Amino acid sequence: GQSLEQPSEVTAVEGAIVQINCTYQTSGFYGLSWYQQHDGGAPTFLSYNGLDGLEETGRFSSFLSRSDSYGYLLLQELQMKDSASYFCAVRGDDKIIFGKGTRLHILP
Amino acid sequence: EAGVTQFPSHSVIEKGQTVTLRCDPISGHDNLYWYRRVMGKEIKFLLHFVKESKQDESGMPNNRFLAERTGGTYSTLKVQPAELEDSGVYFCASSQGTSGTHYEQYFGPGTRLTVT
């Protein structure tokens, strides 16, 4: 079967760095994406990794290791507005699969 | 550029009734997706259109759900008859390209469906 695993919740302090991990098991692999969703809002695209390595977009970075079927989202200089749910999503042979999301709590 | 829009934003219906959700993708986006999120659970894929054709409808839960995309523009998702377990937030998303640029999808605000 196909599955994605990510922690259900993570807590960090404002100004700190946090890493959200995602491991996947899919039939075929065409890339790992990350989305952010605030309460009551729509998921918004953050980043994409099609190849191994690190992709950086401002305070956010995303990493992929295809050999380990693993990726992570790194958020730096955390701000209160970063409090949200973060979803990893993988494109396999059949379709796009989303993880169950990681709820990020930020403490002042 | 206008984003993905969905209508209605909320819908409350009784079990056994019919509801039709509408999605207008970003102009020029060939790919259109429907997803559902039940409270606290994952965003679950329902189906994927490429223009007016159903590319993948493997996520559709059963034959009470019917999706159409006439003319390759907007799409509708009809639930008939609705059941209690159909409650959730239905998201529509779109992306450019026809060769699989699925990774950058733009989501609509969702339709919150409550079946009582």
Side-chain angles (χ1 to χ4, degrees):
Chain A
Q2 304 189 95
S3 65
L4 272 74
E5 296 292 331
Q6 54 181 127
S8 59
E9 289 185 281
V10 172
T11 299
V13 178
E14 188 177 15
I17 299 173
V18 71
Q19 178 174 312
I20 300 174
N21 298 322
C22 175
T23 57
Y24 60 87
Q25 181 178 359
T26 59
S27 173
F29 177 81
Y30 297 96
L32 176 71
S33 304
W34 289 92
Y35 289 81
Q36 178 193 60
Q37 186 181 23
H38 286 97
D39 286 344
T44 54
F45 173 80
L46 291 177
S47 69
Y48 166 77
N49 294 74
L51 300 174
D52 291 349
L54 192 69
E55 294 287 336
E56 297 180 74
T57 309
R59 295 187 297 114
F60 294 178
S61 302
S62 58
F63 172 82
L64 173 66
S65 169
R66 288 174 295 171
S67 60
D68 295 323
S69 298
Y70 163 76
Y72 66 71
L73 178 69
L74 191 73
L75 296 84
Q76 302 182 70
E77 301 173 19
L78 284 173
Q79 302 175 10
M80 296 305 293
K81 67 178 182 180
D82 298 330
S83 294
S85 292
Y86 292 84
F87 294 86
C88 58
V90 169
R91 166 73 178 172
D93 280 339
D94 295 334
K95 59 175 102 38
I96 297 164
I97 304 170
F98 279 78
K100 294 185 178 179
T102 297
R103 179 77 186 185
L104 175 60
H105 303 279
I106 299 177
L107 304 176
Chain B
E1 178 183 271
V4 177
T5 59
Q6 293 185 244
F7 182 84
S9 57
H10 292 83
S11 180
V12 180
I13 61 173
E14 293 183 352
K15 176 182 173 181
Q17 290 185 321
T18 297
V19 64
T20 300
L21 314 180
R22 173 170 170 145
C23 168
D24 286 79
I26 293 173
S27 178
H29 280 193
D30 290 333
N31 296 289
L32 186 150
Y33 313 82
W34 283 100
Y35 296 92
R36 175 172 70 180
R37 188 176 188 206
V38 176
M39 179 75 75
K41 297 194 175 180
E42 70 269 30
I43 299 171
K44 187 168 174 147
F45 168 85
L46 295 179
L47 87 160
H48 167 212
F49 283 99
V50 176
K51 297 184 179 178
E52 67 275 9
S53 299
K54 292 176 184 174
Q55 180 76 11
D56 180 356
E57 54 183 329
S58 60
M60 295 286 264
N62 51 60
N63 58 10
R64 295 186 294 103
F65 288 73
L66 175 64
E68 295 179 323
R69 191 182 183 193
T70 307
T73 54
Y74 71 91
S75 174
T76 58
L77 179 65
K78 180 189 287 188
V79 185
Q80 178 183 31
E83 298 289 344
L84 297 177
E85 64 264 27
D86 300 333
S87 296
V89 181
Y90 289 78
F91 289 104
C92 172
S94 70
S95 70
Q96 287 184 310
T98 56
S99 59
T101 53
H102 305 281
Y103 55 84
E104 186 167 356
Q105 298 184 18
Y106 296 84
F107 279 75
T111 294
R112 183 174 295 279
L113 174 65
T114 303
V115 182
T116 62

